[in-house]
Amino acid sequence: MGSSVRVHTRLTYLRHLIVSLAQARDIDRTLLVFSHDYYDEEINALVRSIDFAKVMQIFYPYSIQTHPNEFPGVDPNDCPRDARLEQAIKLKCNNALHPDLHGHYREAKYTQTKHHWWWKANRIFNQLQCTAGHTGMVVFLEEDHYVAEDFLHMLHLLRSTADRSCPHCEILCLGTYLKTYQYHSTGDKVEITPWHSSMHNMGMVFNRTVWNNIMELQEQFCAYDDYNWDYSLLHLSQNRPGREKFRVILCKGPRVFHIGECGIHHKKSNCNASTVISKVQKLLQNAKGYMFPSRVSTTISAGGAKHNKKLTKGNGGWGDIRDQELCTNMTKVDRQPRRYVQYA
C-alpha cells in the first residue's frame, strides 16, 4: 500500500495529519511519500522524524520557490492577470495572445497546484524506482487532511467490495464532505456512484491500471483550461471515447477529513486550525464504537444532478501555452536526477 501526501507550507496541519497517520492500524505496512513544492527545514525535520512507517520525500523541481523570477514562477514580463487582450498585446508581455477562457492571464500560485499534483502522480507511477513494481492502491492525501484509525481497514473493505460488486469502479474514496456525521447508521455503509471532482477528491485512491487509463488522455488533461487537477480529471471522465465515466465506491461515513479552513481556496476570517481539528478528533472519539466494521453494506446510486452535470467549460486559469507544455513534458521525463529525492 502506498500513500502520497502533497505538502505546501502549512506545518500545523501537517503535524496533525502525521499524528492521525501514526494512530492508524497497519500504517507500518505502508510507504508514505511526501511530495513538497516548498523547501522548509522545519517541515522536512518533522517528516524525517516519522518512525511508524516507511517514508520518502520528493521535491517538486519546478516550484515558485525555486523559480521566483521566471516561469513557472512569476516572470517580470508576465501579463497582469486582469489585462485586456489589446493592452497585453501592446505591452508585449508573455503569452499575450492566449488569456484563459475568462480573459485572464496566469497566476503562478494557482497553476502550481495542478502542476504539482500531475508531477507527483507521474513520479510515483512512472519514475520512482521503489514504486516501479507496485501494482496496488495509492491513497492521495493533502497536508490538511486527517485520517481515522481504521482508514486502511476501510480501504481493504472498499477494495474487496469493488472486486465483488463493481469491478468497473476505478476510484475508491475515503473522504466525503458532510455537514453532519451519523456513524451509527453510516459507519459500515458504502456507496457506488459516478465520480465527481468536488465530492470525491479527498482521500481518493486508485491503482496503476487506472493511472494508465488517465495517461491515455494526458493531452486532454494538460490542454483543459482549468487550474484544478480534479476538474481536469472530471473532464477526462466525461469525455472518454467509447467508455463510461469514472465510477467511485466511497465510505458513507468518511475516514478522511478536511481540516484546512485556511488556505488557497479558503479565506475565512476566523481561520482557527485548532477549532476544526478538535471538532474532528471529538467526532472520531464518539464514533469509536462504529470503526473497524467486519463487513459493509452497499448502495448503488445514479448520482444527483451535480454528479451528472456535463462540464461545458473549465474554471480557467490554464490558458498559458507554457503551462500546457510543462504539463505535457512532465509525462515524457524518464527517471529524473536523484538530487530531487531525499530519503528520510
Side-chain angles (χ1 to χ4, degrees), residues 78-90:
D78 279 349
C79 296
R81 177 192 181 271
D82 297 321
R84 293 191 307 278
L85 182 63
E86 313 81 63
Q87 282 179 303
I89 292 169
K90 274 184 191 168

Side-chain angles (χ1 to χ4, degrees), residues 44-64:
N44 294 343
L46 173 63
V47 174
R48 284 197 300 269
S49 72
I50 293 172
D51 59 2
F52 53 81
K54 295 183 286 292
V55 174
M56 184 178 195
Q57 285 178 275
I58 58 177
F59 294 86
Y60 172 60
Y62 314 113
S63 71
I64 297 169

Side-chain angles (χ1 to χ4, degrees), residues 6-30:
R6 195 154 53 110
V7 183
H8 185 48
T9 58
R10 293 180 290 170
L11 179 66
T12 301
Y13 291 126
L14 181 62
R15 189 174 278 125
H16 284 282
L17 169 63
I18 290 170
V19 167
S20 71
L21 287 167
Q23 294 166 349
R25 187 188 291 178
D26 293 331
I27 196 68
D28 57 325
R29 296 162 64 185
T30 302

Side-chain angles (χ1 to χ4, degrees), residues 106-294:
R106 81 184 294 267
E107 292 178 273
K109 66 180 178 181
Y110 294 120
T111 59
Q112 178 165 278
T113 308
K114 180 168 165 176
H115 282 309
H116 185 189
W117 188 91
W118 186 240
W119 175 84
K120 176 189 68 168
N122 272 281
R123 195 97 177 98
I124 288 169
F125 285 111
N126 298 346
Q127 294 160 10
L128 289 180
Q129 207 161 355
C130 66
T131 53
H134 180 64
T135 55
M137 311 305 291
V138 175
V139 184
F140 286 82
L141 297 171
E142 309 271 336
E143 65 183 11
D144 61 352
H145 288 170
Y146 192 97
V147 302
E149 59 182 317
D150 70 340
F151 88 102
L152 292 172
H153 173 83
M154 286 302 293
L155 181 52
H156 290 302
L157 283 179
L158 285 176
R159 177 71 269 162
S160 57
T161 304
D163 290 344
R164 201 170 53 247
S165 308
C166 185
H168 56 293
C169 282
E170 292 101 331
I171 296 172
L172 315 182
C173 186
L174 294 159
T176 45
Y177 299 88
L178 301 175
K179 289 190 170 59
T180 57
Y181 301 87
Q182 308 290 335
Y183 280 90
H184 63 279
S185 59
T186 62
D188 61 350
K189 302 285 193 302
V190 303
E191 180 183 3
I192 294 168
T193 191
W195 182 80
H196 191 279
S197 51
S198 61
M199 295 177 180
H200 310 127
N201 62 4
M202 180 169 54
M204 199 171 89
V205 187
F206 56 83
N207 61 16
R208 187 180 297 280
T209 304
V210 176
W211 173 250
N212 289 339
N213 291 340
I214 292 169
M215 286 292 284
E216 286 172 15
L217 301 170
Q218 59 184 274
E219 285 179 17
Q220 281 191 51
F221 181 93
C222 289
Y224 188 58
D225 192 355
D226 196 313
Y227 68 92
N228 297 287
W229 62 265
D230 50 351
Y231 273 92
S232 301
L233 283 184
L234 182 61
H235 169 69
L236 299 194
S237 171
Q238 294 182 340
N239 293 278
R240 298 204 290 173
R243 302 181 72 173
E244 286 186 0
K245 292 180 285 194
F246 288 141
R247 292 186 75 74
V248 61
I249 180 163
L250 66 122
C251 299
K252 297 274 278 182
R255 266 46 179 207
V256 176
F257 300 84
H258 181 247
I259 56 174
E261 292 294 297
C262 318
I264 201 162
H265 292 303
H266 302 273
K267 307 291 183 197
K268 290 193 176 179
S269 54
N270 58 338
C271 274
N272 189 339
S274 58
T275 306
V276 185
I277 293 159
S278 299
K279 190 176 164 187
V280 170
Q281 288 170 334
K282 188 176 178 185
L283 173 74
L284 287 171
Q285 188 62 36
N286 292 338
K288 245 182 176 3
Y290 306 103
M291 297 286 161
F292 296 99
S294 55

Side-chain angles (χ1 to χ4, degrees), residues 295-320:
R295 61 177 66 86
V296 292
S297 59
T298 311
T299 56
I300 299 175
S301 159
K306 187 172 181 182
H307 282 68
N308 292 303
K309 187 180 178 185
K310 182 86 171 173
L311 277 180
T312 49
K313 58 182 181 179
N315 290 300
W318 198 261
D320 200 304

